[in-house]
Amino acid sequence: MDRSGQPIPVLLVHGIRASRTMWRHQEHDLRAAGHPVLAIDLPGHGKRLGEDFTVPVALAAIDAGVTSLGGRVLLVGLSLGGYYAIAYAATHPDRVAGLVAAGCSAVPRGVLLHGYRLLARGIHHLPDRGLWLHETMARRLLPAAGARDVLAGGAALDVMDAGLRATSTLSPLRSLAEYPGPVWLVNGALDHFRLNEPRFLAACQHGRVVVVAGATHLSSLAQPERFSRILLDITGQVVSYRP
């Protein structure tokens, strides 16, 4: 709720190679609870396939979504979307009443990022640019409904390297330290992107960690009911502060 007692609007930002459709379950649950909600596509993803992925354009997409919801939101991002949600909150604290950064508690550079970029380049050289692998992994690692949701918006097969390269220029620890509002670091218990979780928590001015039991990296898809309950609990805690 905001200070007027109205349900806080919620903006949802997806992970790499996915799209806004990965949030279908959470969109339904948030709307059912009365929250205005919008899931956006980042450049190079979903309805924006073919667009170049850059930091300014990704942040502009978030800004446009915030504006469409009235100018102040609970900002929720997972994985790639989490890093850009953190960056946006730091530079627009007056537009972010609270921040949920899911699956992004690892510094996006060094060995972890280099390994992902090498893997992405190898997959991109497959005859189908990795489409079969992408779809097969989604169906094997996620519940049926989660796989349907993440695949419904198509696969952003050409964005991996550019997206990872752009993300390596972000400074999430510094951005978390600059953002004065409440932060929830939501991570799957089995998520390898929890690598630097203590550092991320320590960087927050007002932060807490929420662990999704039994979930891997894509916690909103692996445990959709639990993730929705976490978001609904957070919406009840957000107060529309003015920094």
Side-chain angles (χ1 to χ4, degrees):
M1 296 286 181
D2 63 19
R3 285 176 177 167
S4 70
Q6 298 299 312
I8 191 76
V10 182
L11 184 69
L12 302 164
V13 191
H14 63 78
I16 200 163
R17 285 172 55 122
S19 75
R20 70 194 184 284
T21 67
M22 70 168 282
W23 294 111
R24 284 176 173 177
H25 191 102
Q26 286 73 41
E27 282 187 282
H28 174 272
D29 291 347
L30 288 162
R31 287 201 180 101
H35 294 276
V37 58
L38 175 67
I40 63 168
D41 282 328
L42 292 172
H45 298 78
K47 289 187 174 181
R48 303 182 64 171
L49 282 176
E51 293 185 25
D52 291 337
F53 189 101
T54 67
V55 172
V57 178
L59 295 177
I62 294 175
D63 194 59
V66 174
T67 297
S68 72
L69 286 172
R72 282 183 66 74
V73 302
L74 173 66
L75 181 57
V76 180
L78 187 146
S79 193
L80 179 78
Y83 289 113
Y84 286 86
I86 291 171
Y88 182 85
T91 55
H92 299 80
D94 57 317
R95 293 168 69 81
V96 181
L99 171 65
V100 178
C104 58
S105 294
V107 176
R109 55 178 59 92
V111 174
L112 180 67
L113 185 78
H114 182 66
Y116 267 95
R117 289 187 68 185
L118 286 176
L119 179 62
R121 290 169 186 166
I123 291 172
H124 193 70
H125 283 99
L126 294 173
D128 64 351
R129 306 198 320 281
L131 179 61
W132 178 87
L133 181 62
H134 174 77
E135 294 178 343
T136 299
M137 293 298 288
R139 293 188 176 110
R140 288 186 178 178
L141 297 178
L142 295 171
R148 285 195 300 271
D149 287 349
V150 77
L151 295 175
L157 300 175
D158 300 319
V159 78
M160 271 299 266
D161 193 55
L164 293 173
R165 182 175 64 250
T167 304
S168 72
T169 68
L170 301 179
S171 301
L173 294 173
R174 184 177 65 198
S175 293
L176 286 172
E178 293 172 352
Y179 174 60
V183 179
W184 289 264
L185 303 174
V186 180
N187 293 316
L190 306 176
D191 188 358
H192 51 295
F193 273 78
R194 295 180 67 189
L195 179 65
N196 303 126
E197 186 178 83
R199 293 178 64 193
F200 274 63
L201 179 61
C204 299
Q205 295 187 35
H206 305 284
R208 66 216 71 180
V209 170
V210 181
V211 177
V212 186
T216 49
H217 179 54
L218 299 178
S219 54
S220 66
L221 294 160
Q223 298 282 345
E225 294 85 3
R226 173 63 177 149
F227 199 94
S228 287
R229 288 196 299 271
I230 289 169
L231 290 187
L232 289 168
D233 179 63
I234 289 171
T235 62
Q237 300 177 49
V238 172
V239 175
S240 189
Y241 74 95
R242 290 291 174 183

